[in-house]
Amino acid sequence: MKFIRIYAIVSLILLVSCSVNSSTKEYSDETIREAQANVTSYIENNYANI
């Protein structure tokens, strides 16, 4: 019974910390444009003749 409580508390702490970190990030317009350019280039170069 004690193991289940400890496991539940640790799991809850990990889940809460992950959701807090992922929702607070904001990216600048320049970073978004660079990422889109990189993805477009990757797709064009690696899937050209499919």
Side-chain angles (χ1 to χ4, degrees), residues 34-50:
E34 288 177 7
Q36 288 174 340
N38 287 337
V39 170
T40 303
S41 173
Y42 176 83
I43 291 173
E44 289 173 350
N45 292 331
N46 292 314
Y47 298 102
N49 294 321
I50 293 180

Side-chain angles (χ1 to χ4, degrees), residues 18-50:
C18 289
S19 67
V20 168
N21 289 337
S22 65
S23 65
T24 59
K25 292 186 178 183
E26 295 183 18
Y27 300 102
S28 67
D29 291 336
E30 183 179 349
T31 304
I32 293 172
R33 275 181 285 183
E34 288 177 7
Q36 288 174 340
N38 287 337
V39 170
T40 303
S41 173
Y42 176 83
I43 291 173
E44 289 173 350
N45 292 331
N46 292 314
Y47 298 102
N49 294 321
I50 293 180

